[in-house]
Amino acid sequence: MTARTTTKNVIVVGSGIAGTTAAFRLRQEGYHVTLLEQEDYPGGRMSSHAVSGGDSAYRLDRGASWLSRNYLPMIKLLEETGLASRMLPCSNELGVLRDGKVHRLSFVRPTDLLRTGLLGWRSKLKALNLLRDLSAARPALSWSDMSKAAGIDIESAQEYALRRLDKPLLDYLVEPLCSTQFLAPADEISAVGVLSIMWSTFGAASFTFDGGVGRLPAFLLDLPLMRSEQTRVELNARVSDVRQDGNGVHVTWERDGANRVEHGDACVVAVPGPIAAGLVPSLTDDQRAYLSALRYTSDVHVTFGLREATGETALGVAIPLREHPDLCVVLHEHNLGPGRAPADQGLVTLVFRHHWSAARKSVDDDTVVEDSLTALTEVLPDLAAHIGKHREMAAVQRWDRAVLARPAGGYGDLARFTSSLDPRSPIQLAGDYFAYSTTNASLSTGEAAAQRVAALLST
Ligand SMILES: Cc1cc2nc3c(=O)[nH]c(=O)nc-3n(C[C@H](O)[C@H](O)[C@H](O)COP(=O)(O)OP(=O)(O)OC[C@H]3O[C@@H](n4cnc5c(N)ncnc54)[C@H](O)[C@@H]3O)c2cc1C
């Protein structure tokens, strides 16, 4: 792959999938790129790391752990870069717990909804409304900018389910989708969020990479175009200020207590909205207020490395609110692909609704692990016993800002915000808050920001 040449330099703040994709696309356009990341690893919420326990080596995804072939912009990028050869299949089943029994549905066959014992016939007929509404909503759903959904954003997922579906569909489909995707119950999420999940999740197979989905940003940074002299990646580089100057931008960043100033022709700020609000002084008061108020749910999840795999075939089992108030999904990560756990061994993650995590933000890891097992015992005692017997490792991961939980009305606010942004500004924003929290949405917003910058700098 050859890049056009120019000596113009673009600074990208944040090496999550939005930032790394923006950086890659800008390099393809021939720009020099400086990528600044505050952590000592790239990838942000899409990153994986090695953890050892007993005699075993495990690989854990810090954030995102599941990818879909519905993620078309991601697939296109993988194909263009030759990275598609790294894609691996994984389990396509999601379980839902009802009255102690796990009902398994396939992502690939949305018609499973009509066959499953999870729901009665009346609910199955009502589920057809969901498919109809999804088809009607489709033109308003976009990976890189969900502001077009403002017109259909009229109620919460709970209100929608009670109006168009029925109570069992609320309890065993809509609420589990909200909790697994947004870590929040259905009354806190816009109905558009549920339609987005259905659109992005069902009807296509899952895929992964050897050793975790979080390897994608690292793969991108390892491409020849990104290892060239025209790309500079600075880790442990915390940016504090991004401002426009006479002929471009200057960016202040800090390492080891020393401030440095970087000059660029343009900048892509690819960090979560509330952080962007504090970095860019040229935002208007309304823009800053919008970004600062964005509601990300918090997440504290616990992963156990096991000497023996669980017997579960699904990649995860959703625990509806009716079944447990706190625990919302159990991921059987060894079903998510190779390289997570040694052969025949297990990797299980317990994920909780945001109120549980928020209450444990400052609680020590040992107590969090104990609390998580108490919750599991209340709902899946056999699995809790299996973990107790075969546990080799326990790791706690914490995210203050895990995923965006947009309430009803949030898409209208987004539309007002996006329409107020200047597409010709040398400072462009990217991140999941333009759409909804998935790796693919972030990737798409990174591509869109890179395109706007390239259009500006080429004139
Ligand atoms: C627990 C969890 C599970 C998830 N599961 C899935 C899933 O299964 N599938 C899926 O598709 N999506 C999932 N998501 C959502 C997905 O991970 C995110 O939407 C996406 O990765 C966000 O990418 P981003 O580049 O927009 O932001 P981020 O990944 O947050 O990247 C922002 C980067 O900027 C850096 N940064 C922040 N401030 C500064 C600063 N001042 N200076 C320099 N650098 C800075 C951060 O360290 C970070 O690396 C999950 C998220 C979480 C947290």
Side-chain angles (χ1 to χ4, degrees):
M1 192 176 308
T2 51
R4 287 173 219 127
T5 45
T6 160
T7 53
K8 288 181 178 165
N9 179 38
V10 183
I11 300 167
V12 177
V13 181
S15 74
I17 189 62
T20 45
T21 305
F24 174 73
R25 291 300 189 198
L26 287 160
R27 282 293 301 118
Q28 268 187 318
E29 291 295 321
Y31 298 103
H32 294 216
V33 169
T34 304
L35 181 58
L36 302 173
E37 166 58 49
Q38 68 180 0
E39 301 293 343
D40 60 1
Y41 60 87
R45 285 173 282 161
M46 190 183 199
S47 57
S48 309
H49 63 140
V51 174
S52 56
D55 296 329
S56 308
Y58 297 92
R59 273 195 74 86
L60 274 56
D61 289 320
R62 291 190 178 91
S65 56
W66 179 85
L67 305 174
S68 168
R69 283 187 176 268
N70 276 337
Y71 287 5
L72 296 183
M74 186 179 286
I75 305 281
K76 181 168 172 279
L77 178 67
L78 291 167
E79 283 171 352
E80 256 181 68
T81 52
L83 290 172
S85 60
R86 303 252 193 179
M87 291 165 70
L88 299 171
C90 60
S91 167
N92 286 310
E93 283 181 325
L94 177 69
V96 182
L97 187 73
R98 182 168 187 173
D99 302 327
K101 182 172 172 0
V102 176
H103 299 265
R104 295 176 187 82
L105 305 168
S106 163
F107 292 116
V108 189
R109 291 185 310 268
T111 49
D112 271 14
L113 258 186
L114 303 176
R115 280 196 285 263
T116 176
L118 176 68
L119 299 162
W121 275 109
R122 191 187 295 255
S123 299
K124 287 175 186 176
L125 283 176
K126 283 283 187 182
L128 294 174
N129 280 347
L130 182 55
L131 300 180
R132 284 189 202 106
D133 294 342
L134 180 57
S135 158
R138 176 63 196 87
L141 306 178
S142 151
W143 285 115
S144 58
D145 179 5
M146 282 289 290
S147 56
K148 272 199 286 177
I152 56 168
D153 179 22
I154 53 168
E155 61 198 337
S156 73
Q158 176 168 306
E159 289 162 338
Y160 165 77
L162 293 176
R163 182 175 65 82
R164 289 286 286 160
L165 311 176
D166 67 3
K167 187 73 168 61
L169 277 163
L170 169 63
D171 290 342
Y172 292 102
L173 182 69
V174 171
E175 192 288 322
L177 286 178
C178 290
S179 285
T180 52
Q181 177 73 35
F182 306 111
L183 310 175
D187 59 336
E188 296 179 21
I189 298 296
S190 165
V192 172
V194 174
L195 297 173
S196 307
I197 303 172
M198 297 290 295
W199 166 61
S200 64
T201 305
F202 290 98
S206 318
F207 71 93
T208 188
F209 304 109
D210 193 358
V213 307
R215 299 194 65 192
L216 179 54
F219 287 158
L220 285 175
L221 292 178
D222 206 33
L223 291 169
L225 201 51
M226 300 299 281
R227 282 191 284 109
S228 67
E229 276 176 12
Q230 289 78 29
T231 314
R232 209 175 107 222
V233 180
E234 297 282 358
L235 300 178
N236 300 306
R238 199 184 64 79
V239 172
S240 56
D241 188 78
V242 179
R243 65 180 68 210
Q244 210 168 326
D245 60 19
N247 51 353
V249 293
H250 68 253
V251 173
T252 308
W253 60 280
E254 178 257 317
R255 181 187 285 151
D256 300 331
N259 272 341
R260 301 155 204 235
V261 177
E262 205 81 43
H263 176 80
D265 294 284
C267 179
V268 174
V269 178
V271 299
I275 300 177
L279 295 185
V280 186
S282 59
L283 291 168
T284 65
D285 289 348
D286 283 351
Q287 289 166 343
R288 186 168 305 102
Y290 174 78
L291 290 173
S292 305
L294 283 173
R295 178 175 177 243
Y296 288 77
T297 44
S298 53
D299 162 64
V300 175
H301 65 253
V302 184
T303 302
F304 296 95
L306 307 174
R307 267 178 238 101
E308 211 171 274
T310 60
E312 182 55 61
T313 53
L315 56 84
V317 175
I319 315 290
L321 193 55
R322 277 182 72 95
E323 305 287 324
H324 198 274
D326 306 323
L327 184 61
C328 66
V329 63
V330 178
L331 293 173
H332 295 260
E333 296 204 37
H334 47 278
N335 295 334
L336 274 166
R340 313 278 173 127
D344 301 326
Q345 291 191 215
L347 195 63
V348 169
T349 295
L350 308 183
V351 183
F352 293 85
R353 293 185 180 82
H354 71 97
H355 65 268
W356 187 95
S357 299
R360 283 162 184 79
K361 253 185 201 173
S362 317
V363 171
D364 66 275
D365 282 5
D366 289 348
T367 308
V368 169
V369 171
E370 253 176 61
D371 289 353
S372 74
L373 285 173
T374 302
L376 183 67
T377 306
E378 286 162 1
V379 69
L380 289 169
D382 291 349
L383 178 60
H386 181 91
I387 291 177
K389 188 168 171 201
H390 298 290
R391 171 173 157 183
E392 218 178 16
M393 173 280 285
V396 177
Q397 174 73 47
R398 297 162 195 265
W399 291 103
D400 270 354
R401 294 190 184 94
V403 284
L404 194 67
R406 226 187 278 279
Y411 293 88
D413 297 339
L414 173 66
R416 281 182 284 283
F417 171 72
T418 50
S419 65
S420 78
L421 293 171
D422 177 3
R424 304 280 302 163
S425 165
I427 302 172
Q428 292 295 326
L429 305 177
D432 53 3
Y433 56 91
F434 284 99
Y436 84 109
S437 285
T438 61
T439 52
N440 188 56
S442 282
L443 179 151
S444 304
T445 68
E447 289 187 326
Q451 255 173 27
R452 292 191 295 271
V453 165
L456 174 74
L457 296 185
S458 64
T459 53

